[in-house]
Every structure is written in C-alpha cells, then in structure tokens.
Amino acid sequence: MKVTIVGAGNVGASCADVISYRGIASEVVILDIKEGFAEGKAMDLMQCATNTGFNTQITGVTNDYSKTANSEVVVITSGIPRKPGMTREELIGINAGIVKSVAENLLKHSPKATFVIVSNPMDTMTYLAFKSLGLPKNKIIGMGGALDSSRFRYYLSKELDIPSNDVSAMVIGGHGDTTMIPLTRLASYNGIPVSEFLSQEKLDKVAADTMVGGATLTGLLGTSAWYAPGASVAYLVDSILNNQKKMIACSVFLEGEYGQSDICIGVPCIIGKNGVEKIVDITLNADEKAKFAKSADAVRAMNGDLKSILG
Ligand SMILES: NC(=O)C1=CN([C@@H]2O[C@H](COP(=O)(O)OP(=O)(O)OC[C@H]3O[C@@H](n4cnc5c(N)ncnc54)[C@H](O)[C@@H]3O)[C@@H](O)[C@H]2O)C=CC1
Ligand SMILES: O=C([O-])CC(=O)C(=O)O
C-alpha cells in the first residue's frame, strides 16, 4: 500500500514518521520542492527502522511526481504555516496556488487516489481541490476535525484529570480559530456526559481552549504544531488504507447535509477504502445549528477568495 506525502516539512515528515512506525503503509513517498529536503527527511526516517522496528520503505524526491505513481492515498501538506498572531485564513494567498498545482500533478500519476488535504486554510483548500480536480466527492477529504477533536479530548481530560482515551468527543465546523464547534453536549467520559462532572463555566473554557488550540501552540512554538497534526493525518490514512470505517470529523463536500451545499466543512464521516463512505448527518440542537450556519458562512466567504484561481 503506497502513500505519497507532499511537503517534507514539519507536518509531512511527522506524518511519515507515524505511518511507518505504526506500519500503516508498506511504501511512503515524500515529495518536496526544496532540493534534497525530502531525500534527507526520508533518509533520516529510514535510519529509525532498525531501532524502532518498522519495515515501511520511505523514499524522498525533489518534485519528481513520476515517483508518486499509483499511490492509494496522497496527502497535501505543502504550503506555508502561520506565524504567531496570524490566522490560518491569512495563508490563502500563497497556499491556494501551491495546493492547486500540487493536486493536479498528483492526479496525473495517481488517478485513483484518495486525496487528503492538510494545508491551510484547510476547508477552503479542500474545496479548491474538489473544484479543480473533478474527482467524486468521496475522494477528497480535508483533515482538521481529527486534530481538533483530539485537542478537545486533551483539554477535557486535563479538566477531568483522567486519560484522554477515556474521553469521547468531536469537533465539527470549520478548522478555524472562530469557526470550530466543539460538541460539548455530546462529549462523554466513558459514556457518561461530561456535564455530570464539569460546570458549564469549565466546559465553556475547555471549548474556548480547543478552538484556539492551534494558535496557542503557534504562540509557543513560533510556527504551527506538527506532532498532533502528523498523527491525526496518519490516523485518517490508516482508516482509508485499512478500510477501518472509523467515524472521523472531516472536511467534505456537502450537498444538503447539515443544511449546507457547495461547501467543504467538518462533519462526522465514516472513512474507509472508498474515502468518505458516508456522511453522518446527526441532529444538532438549535444552538449548535446556529453555530454551524455561522461557521459555514465564514468558510463560504473565504471560498469566495478562490474566484480568481478557479476562473
Ligand atoms: N489541517 C490541519 O489540521 C493542519 C494544517 N497545517 C498546515 O499544513 C501546512 C504545512 O505546515 P508545516 O509542515 O508546519 O510547514 P513547513 O514549512 O514545515 O513545511 C511545508 C513544506 O512544503 C514545501 N512546499 C512548499 N511549496 C511546495 C510545492 N509547490 N511543492 C512541494 N512542496 C512544497 C516546503 O518546501 C516545506 O518543506 C501549513 O499550511 C499549515 O498551516 C498544519 C497543521 C495542522
Ligand atoms: O494552527 C495552525 O495554523 C495549524 C493548524 O491548523 C493546527 O495546528 O490546528
């Protein structure tokens, strides 16, 4: 099973690391535009093989798309990350052109691949990929919800003083500081609603911390996060390649679900060998519905900036 990751930077390399370490794919190709960079990352990662015990073959290439041929999954992390004080949306000017050309090159060599879009602003980059590639909607998946949900579970677990894996919780909506919707009402501690254990004030603080989780890390690190993003992409790729049919919040093209159309935004999806196997259209309460509509308005406004690039 072959996976290509474009962008050998922080997120791309971290993703390749988790995919190989966990044996998710037999072959990983990392491609970057910077001469020698992907080759160097691949060599460094391959030199982990004997000490961590993996058998995945990792190859690095400089802009040679022929080496990506017949990948089952392609991951796009190429583009610039934000710096402290910036929003993800500010990256659109540079990243849109990069994502479009990278996606088109990948498609030429792997026409059957499922595309996973990571570059920010992710929902708009996913919409761009969907509109420019002409692939069926199940083949284009934006990664953001898996990461945001893991941060939500982290913040809840800290507040509850329990292991993260005992928390079940999901974030839907846009992958932006103000557009994410942590579904607090549905979050549970081993099946028991978290509202049984935490005050509304504490739950509101957890939701607010989750929404700015990426910005908090960008402030601390000087660039955006990579370990949890890389692991979240690997988790998604695992569900595709190994047909796990996990339910994961992903940015996907909607046609009426959640009252929205002609937009890519985060909703719960069943992810398997066909990419998006199913969109899980749950009933939101009035407050959640209003938040979702507002989030979609913001994402749609950002998509409007693609007019010149989509023609
Ligand atoms: N959706 C999500 O949840 C997350 C998204 N991101 C986004 O992922 C992107 C990458 O972040 P990092 O890895 O931290 O950045 P980075 O700067 O470490 O790596 C980006 C890599 O892309 C390469 N690149 C640029 N243009 C290219 C092209 N045309 N073809 C091939 N490679 C190209 C660069 O040379 C660089 O190595 C950013 O846009 C960031 O905002 C980051 C974390 C989470
Ligand atoms: O915060 C950023 O810019 C990168 C990202 O999307 C995340 O870590 O959630």
Side-chain angles (χ1 to χ4, degrees):
M1 286 186 288
K2 179 171 175 179
V3 176
T4 286
I5 301 168
V6 180
N10 285 334
V11 177
S14 169
C15 173
D17 191 18
V18 178
I19 287 178
S20 52
Y21 183 63
R22 297 197 51 212
I24 291 170
S26 53
E27 195 182 347
V28 174
V29 174
I30 315 176
L31 182 149
D32 202 283
I33 200 167
K34 206 174 355 163
E35 188 70 42
F37 192 54
E39 288 84 340
K41 288 287 180 100
M43 195 186 288
D44 193 10
L45 285 167
M46 280 305 287
Q47 290 169 5
C48 297
T50 51
N51 288 330
T52 60
F54 70 74
N55 295 304
T56 300
Q57 280 304 315
I58 311 169
T59 313
V61 293
T62 303
N63 237 18
D64 180 359
Y65 282 86
S66 68
K67 297 287 192 311
T68 70
N70 302 319
S71 296
E72 280 154 76
V73 177
V74 297
V75 178
I76 302 182
T77 77
S78 45
I80 54 163
R82 63 173 157 167
K83 294 257 179 282
M86 288 173 76
T87 65
R88 295 177 181 86
E89 287 76 5
E90 287 174 68
L91 306 173
I92 188 172
I94 294 178
N95 287 356
I98 294 174
V99 169
K100 185 164 187 284
S101 72
V102 164
E104 286 168 352
N105 280 326
L106 286 169
L107 183 65
K108 279 181 210 150
H109 297 273
S110 300
K112 293 188 181 148
T114 298
F115 281 64
V116 175
I117 315 298
V118 183
S119 312
N120 275 315
M122 181 277 294
D123 299 289
T124 297
M125 295 303 101
T126 306
Y127 182 78
L128 171 63
F130 176 71
K131 288 286 173 181
S132 43
L133 295 181
L135 286 175
K137 62 176 187 166
N138 58 303
K139 291 291 194 182
I140 311 273
I141 307 176
M143 195 298 292
L147 172 63
D148 302 332
S149 302
S150 72
R151 287 185 178 142
F152 189 25
R153 293 170 70 187
Y154 162 81
Y155 282 116
L156 279 167
S157 74
K158 274 186 55 156
E159 205 54 66
L160 289 160
D161 197 19
I162 59 164
S164 291
N165 284 313
D166 274 5
V167 180
S168 176
M170 188 177 279
V171 176
I172 60 170
H175 179 62
D177 296 343
T178 56
T179 56
M180 272 175 223
I181 307 162
L183 290 175
T184 306
R185 177 178 63 93
L186 302 175
S188 81
Y189 171 18
N190 276 338
I192 302 168
V194 290
S195 55
E196 291 286 329
F197 307 99
L198 297 174
S199 66
Q200 192 57 47
E201 193 189 347
K202 286 212 161 119
L203 290 171
D204 290 346
K205 169 87 168 56
V206 164
D209 287 346
T210 301
M211 291 173 75
V212 295
T216 300
L217 286 162
T218 305
L220 291 168
L221 299 167
T223 184
S224 56
W226 58 90
Y227 293 117
S232 305
V233 178
Y235 180 75
L236 183 59
V237 170
D238 198 8
S239 198
I240 302 168
L241 278 185
N242 297 303
N243 197 26
Q244 290 169 334
K245 301 211 165 74
K246 286 204 168 111
M247 180 159 59
I248 304 174
C250 296
S251 185
V252 294
F253 189 74
L254 299 186
E255 289 176 299
E257 300 90 347
Y258 293 86
Q260 297 294 330
S261 293
D262 195 29
I263 190 168
C264 293
I265 190 167
V267 293
C269 298
I270 305 300
I271 302 294
K273 66 178 184 324
N274 299 307
V276 183
E277 304 276 344
K278 185 174 183 235
I279 294 172
V280 183
D281 198 356
I282 61 162
T283 307
L284 300 177
N285 68 21
D287 176 53
E288 292 155 355
K289 267 187 196 156
K291 284 181 176 152
F292 196 86
K294 194 165 166 231
S295 177
D297 284 348
V299 171
R300 196 170 275 111
M302 183 89 294
N303 293 348
D305 287 5
L306 294 175
K307 279 207 177 83
S308 59
I309 196 160
L310 283 170

